[in-house]
Amino acid sequence: MPPDPTPALTPAPGAPRVRERGDACPGALRLHSADDGHLARLRLPAGLLTSRQVEVLADAAEALGDGRISVTSRGNAELRGLAGGCGAELAALLAEAGLLPSPTHERVRNIVASPASGLDGLGAADVQLWARELDERLCAAPWAAALSGRFLFVLDDGRGDVTGLGGDVTLVAADPGTALLHLGGRTVRVAAADAPRAALAAARAFLTAARGAGTGAWRVRELPEGSGVDVRAALTTAGIAAEAVRKPVEEAAVRKPVEEAAVRKPMEEAAVRKPMEEAAVREDIRKPVQEAVRESAPPHTAPPAEPPRESAPPHGAPPAPGPLGPAAFHVLAPLGRLTAAQLRALLPADEVRLTPWRGAVVVGAGPDRAPALDAAGLITRPGSPWAGVSACTGRPGCAKSLADVRADAVPGRPGLPVHYSGCERRCGHPHGDWVDVLAVPGGGYLVDGAPVPRADLAPAVTTARTAPRTAPRTTR
């Protein structure tokens, strides 16, 4: 991500962060100047591209940019190496393909949704449908244009793959009929049919809280303490029924007396019942009864074995490269970038969904497409050492970078995600636990804080990706 255009002074402990200017995050119409030319960032709600849009994006990369498409950690697309005067031509191409439904809202369409939702039989609801409705409502709301280009909606279908991506408003499908809405440490339960409207109402409540705080907050976590977002009031105003969900500690406080009573009651009943049972059942009649029961019992038979099931990723894990159900295929882009030819290699497809793990789900592609996708240079197997390896732009595209990190990147052996960064901003790093490879002056790197010469990166990265962790590295 380009530098923060409002580098605020580090606030004193307990003091809120104050932003004195608006968000200058790049978009498709607001280009950002970089050392390798201009860049455009195209928001793609849920990463969705039609076949026609895939072709247009590949053509634009070749005709106007450096011939590549970067997939961001929100499943959006970036074009780099653009000439300064190409903005109008690019906008016309994108608009004609339906990629700019609202010029005033093009930077706020930040919606991440579980990419495999509705394809592999997992998840409680198809949140891709939520994403499309939310995008339509977002673009139709004039006030929503005031959201920051960094404000993020996250829609998880219950498998937990995207809940950890730092959403400002997060919807999680609890079951086919209900959804949990998370914002600022608060959780409410709403009907699944109301989920997109509820997410939009929560975003409006954030804007109200941000204006009241007067700090120019772009994201929920930037609100000063005490400037809570009144989600329940916003939902009530929108006519959406909602039920507050207790935090685990609160639930435990309510549940403990009930559980203790449930344990105590059988014990008390047993204390009364035991003497009566002993008086009624004598040893001289108990043994014949037991023997009769044993003789009449059928022989033990093991329950029939269940048919083998296709293995699913652990809860919270992103889908591995490879088939997703019978008619979809997940690939990863090497170091998060696709050439125009690689983007076209995803076709034919019913649709393409770019993912926050810098890949793409090709809807309509069966396992038989694997050889062609592999031949195009895409990552198609979970055992590939390059799966989970990402890098920032680095030199020569970024003036702040200390190294050409993309040229220096080595995968090591498969394991934890690893991210190569050219400077301490660590642009585009993963969420959750990951290996941090940071360029330092003099040509070397720090691997999880330990100095490593560039020539020794491979063994150091292998060790960091595969060694047991005493404490996870988390998002900065």
Side-chain angles (χ1 to χ4, degrees), residues 19-382:
R19 295 190 182 274
E20 297 178 350
R21 289 179 289 175
D23 172 24
C25 198
L29 302 179
R30 179 189 288 177
L31 305 187
H32 172 78
S33 179
D35 274 18
D36 58 349
H38 287 72
L39 74 86
R41 182 174 300 148
L42 178 61
R43 269 66 172 191
L44 301 171
L48 180 63
L49 289 167
T50 65
S51 295
R52 168 68 178 146
Q53 290 168 345
V54 168
E55 292 280 9
V56 168
L57 203 53
D59 291 346
E62 287 180 330
L64 304 176
D66 63 3
R68 293 177 174 81
I69 299 90
S70 297
V71 184
T72 76
S73 59
R74 294 182 171 188
N76 293 322
E78 281 185 356
L79 300 176
R80 301 189 67 95
L82 299 168
C86 77
E89 184 178 359
L90 175 63
L93 285 172
L94 299 177
E96 187 275 333
L99 290 167
L100 285 177
S102 174
T104 56
H105 292 67
E106 62 99 2
R107 294 189 312 120
V108 304
R109 302 170 68 219
N110 291 300
I111 303 172
V112 171
S114 297
S117 193
L119 299 175
D120 58 359
L122 304 178
D126 187 350
V127 295
Q128 293 284 321
L129 302 178
W130 292 0
R132 296 172 198 188
E133 181 181 344
L134 175 57
D135 183 42
E136 291 175 1
R137 292 182 177 277
L138 187 69
C139 291
W143 60 263
L147 289 169
S148 161
R150 305 176 190 223
F151 192 90
L152 178 62
F153 297 91
V154 168
L155 315 181
D156 191 293
D157 69 0
R159 73 184 70 207
D161 58 341
V162 295
T163 49
L165 298 185
D168 293 284
V169 175
T170 298
L171 286 173
V172 180
D175 55 56
T178 62
L180 300 178
L181 187 151
H182 304 274
L183 185 149
R186 295 175 176 84
T187 302
V188 297
R189 188 186 308 274
V190 299
D194 292 332
R197 286 200 305 131
L200 193 62
R204 190 168 195 171
F206 160 75
L207 283 180
T208 300
R211 282 194 295 269
T215 57
W218 295 343
R219 307 201 60 189
V220 171
R221 64 172 178 259
E222 295 177 1
L223 289 172
E225 189 174 351
S227 299
V229 181
D230 195 343
V231 178
R232 293 292 299 279
L235 295 177
T236 299
T237 301
I240 300 171
E243 173 193 358
V245 177
R246 293 190 181 97
K247 295 178 181 179
V249 173
E250 296 171 342
E251 290 179 346
V254 174
R255 194 168 57 239
K256 187 177 179 182
V258 177
E259 291 175 344
E260 289 177 346
V263 171
R264 188 168 56 248
K265 185 176 180 181
M267 294 176 65
E268 293 170 347
E269 292 176 347
V272 174
R273 193 169 57 242
K274 186 176 180 182
M276 298 172 61
E277 291 177 345
E278 290 180 344
V281 183
R282 294 185 177 89
E283 184 66 19
D284 57 347
I285 65 173
R286 184 185 301 141
K287 289 181 69 175
V289 170
Q290 290 177 337
E291 290 173 358
V293 169
R294 277 198 300 269
E295 291 173 359
S296 63
H300 173 73
T301 56
E306 291 187 7
R309 298 180 181 178
E310 185 177 335
S311 61
H315 183 80
L324 285 177
F329 204 100
H330 181 212
V331 299
L332 297 175
L335 292 177
R337 280 193 186 171
L338 297 166
T339 65
Q342 287 173 327
L343 186 60
R344 293 191 184 98
L346 303 179
L347 301 178
D350 296 340
E351 65 186 35
V352 170
R353 303 173 183 177
L354 299 188
T355 77
W357 309 288
R358 294 182 169 84
V361 172
V362 186
V363 181
D368 59 314
R369 286 280 297 280
L373 294 169
D374 190 63
L378 300 166
I379 299 168
T380 61
R381 299 182 303 276

